[in-house]
Amino acid sequence: MGPPNASEDLSSEMEVDAFRRLFPLRFFERHLAESIRPDGRSLSKARDTSVFLGAVASANGSALVKIGSTTMLTAIKMEVMTPSLESPDEGCIAIDFHMPPICSPIVRPGRPAEAAPVVSKQLSDTISRQWICISDHACFSGLVNLKELSLVNGKAAWLAYLDVYCLDADGALFDAALLSAVAALSHLQIPAVAMNDDGKIVLMSEEDGQKQAQEQVNKEKRKLTLKSIPFSLTCILHKNYILADPTSEEESIMETLVTIVLDSSSKLISLYKPGGPVLAYTSAIQDCVALTRQRVKELKTILEEQNSAMEV
């Protein structure tokens, strides 16, 4: 009796898989009618999330993030630059997002992925949303105060190269990329530097006992002060359903996406809806924001636990 049952189970699995491939939308809608998704999650539940700080030993700051199968690696390298005349007391952050062919079957060698420049622009807009001036002497940034990257006013400042690499693209790319970038910035240690006799900024480790140093610019490694840390959640709108943290399969079948970005105090930073057939009514947006607020609490806890573990 064993073999026939096993054969029937296999046949049933093949039929389900065939139905899923031939009629993907009907397959998903049958699950949605039961308020469950094919991977077993409820409609509002995000995938398991993990953050690993210090993933790249050669970088000044780095983080590896996994949301379900979606995997992002961020590395930050610091270089000394001459600040611009417009901002002589500020450094700069250069953000780039990479999607190599290994991340997805739809990414071909030699051809840039369509999603790459979109996610890169979203990251830049979110992380580099800068100055809010409430007076002539009180200006602050959303996430990073670029004045903290200044070394010598008008002469030297830090340029932070922040590169995000997508290792596995299984949906909600921006959410994972943003979390990875924020985690890497929280892990970042700005190198200790000094000014030598020639007036050049050099790493302290490059000084022979610091004897040649005229002025210690950074006496020791230090971390950035991060304020208004952004977190995001992408949702799918399909008929009357809202699905949080979609997989790439769900995104390809149900095309209306909404990404909500909130800061660590749950204030709205941005809302992104790149088209799609479903209209984003006020009630649907409010529900997405409510889901994002809950997600922010989860992500804050994960990030704080990782930073505490690094300090220990």
Side-chain angles (χ1 to χ4, degrees):
M1 296 296 291
N5 288 335
S7 178
E8 289 175 6
D9 291 341
L10 179 60
S11 176
S12 178
E13 289 179 9
M14 292 177 63
E15 289 177 1
V16 170
D17 186 61
F19 181 75
R20 183 173 189 164
R21 290 173 180 273
L22 293 172
F23 308 102
L25 183 57
R26 288 174 57 188
F27 175 82
F28 272 87
E29 287 181 339
R30 285 189 177 185
H31 284 79
L32 296 182
E34 303 295 330
S35 298
I36 195 170
R37 292 148 86 166
D39 59 9
R41 288 185 291 155
S42 64
L43 305 190
S44 61
K45 184 174 177 57
R47 292 169 291 177
D48 291 341
T49 303
S50 62
V51 175
F52 176 66
L53 301 179
V56 182
S58 60
N60 299 112
S62 61
L64 179 71
V65 164
K66 287 179 67 70
I67 300 180
S69 295
T70 299
T71 307
M72 298 286 172
L73 175 66
T74 296
I76 303 174
K77 289 292 286 185
M78 306 293 287
E79 284 189 6
V80 177
M81 70 168 190
T82 301
S84 66
L85 295 176
E86 293 80 11
S87 305
D89 60 344
E90 294 179 11
C92 182
I93 301 177
I95 300 169
D96 206 355
F97 179 74
H98 310 269
M99 290 187 69
I102 61 169
C103 75
S104 171
I106 65 174
V107 179
R108 298 295 184 88
R111 298 181 182 178
E114 292 183 6
V118 177
V119 175
S120 186
K121 179 67 164 57
Q122 284 182 273
L123 286 173
S124 295
D125 290 346
T126 303
I127 294 173
S128 301
R129 57 186 177 88
Q130 278 305 324
W131 300 101
I132 303 171
C133 293
I134 56 178
S135 71
D136 292 340
H137 304 288
C139 293
F140 59 92
S141 67
L143 178 60
V144 177
N145 185 345
L146 295 181
K147 294 183 184 295
E148 286 193 30
L149 297 177
S150 177
L151 291 170
V152 180
N153 196 326
K155 294 182 178 180
W158 285 114
L159 168 59
Y161 289 101
L162 189 154
D163 290 283
V164 184
Y165 297 88
C166 179
L167 304 182
D168 193 337
D170 189 29
L173 301 187
F174 174 71
D175 299 346
L178 179 61
L179 179 58
S180 179
V182 166
L185 285 168
S186 73
H187 175 255
L188 173 65
Q189 288 197 329
I190 300 176
V193 294
M195 184 180 293
N196 64 13
D197 292 331
D198 298 327
K200 294 181 178 180
I201 300 293
V202 293
L203 292 176
M204 296 285 278
S205 58
E206 296 175 358
E207 293 292 311
D208 183 14
Q210 303 174 18
K211 292 179 181 179
Q212 299 177 5
Q214 292 181 339
E215 180 184 355
Q216 293 182 357
V217 183
N218 281 350
K219 293 184 179 181
E220 58 185 14
K221 290 183 178 181
R222 60 185 176 87
K223 299 177 78 68
L224 281 176
T225 303
L226 302 182
K227 295 182 179 180
S228 187
I229 299 176
F231 299 99
S232 67
L233 178 67
T234 296
C235 298
I236 280 181
L237 304 183
H238 181 70
K239 296 183 177 179
N240 295 322
Y241 302 107
I242 298 177
L243 288 74
D245 183 29
T247 63
S248 59
E249 184 182 17
E250 290 171 335
E251 288 181 349
S252 67
I253 297 169
M254 298 169 281
E255 299 176 349
T256 304
L257 300 177
V258 173
T259 299
I260 307 291
V261 183
L262 303 179
D263 68 11
S264 47
S265 59
S266 292
K267 294 180 181 177
L268 180 66
I269 293 174
S270 64
L271 184 155
Y272 182 71
K273 181 182 181 294
V278 179
L279 296 177
Y281 292 105
T282 302
S283 58
I285 295 300
Q286 289 174 340
D287 290 341
C288 291
V289 170
L291 290 174
T292 307
R293 287 200 176 101
Q294 183 59 42
R295 181 64 169 161
V296 167
K297 295 178 183 178
E298 298 171 2
L299 297 179
K300 277 179 61 179
T301 299
I302 293 171
L303 190 56
E304 288 170 357
E305 288 176 351
Q306 287 301 310
N307 278 301
S308 297
M310 290 295 292
E311 291 175 2
V312 172

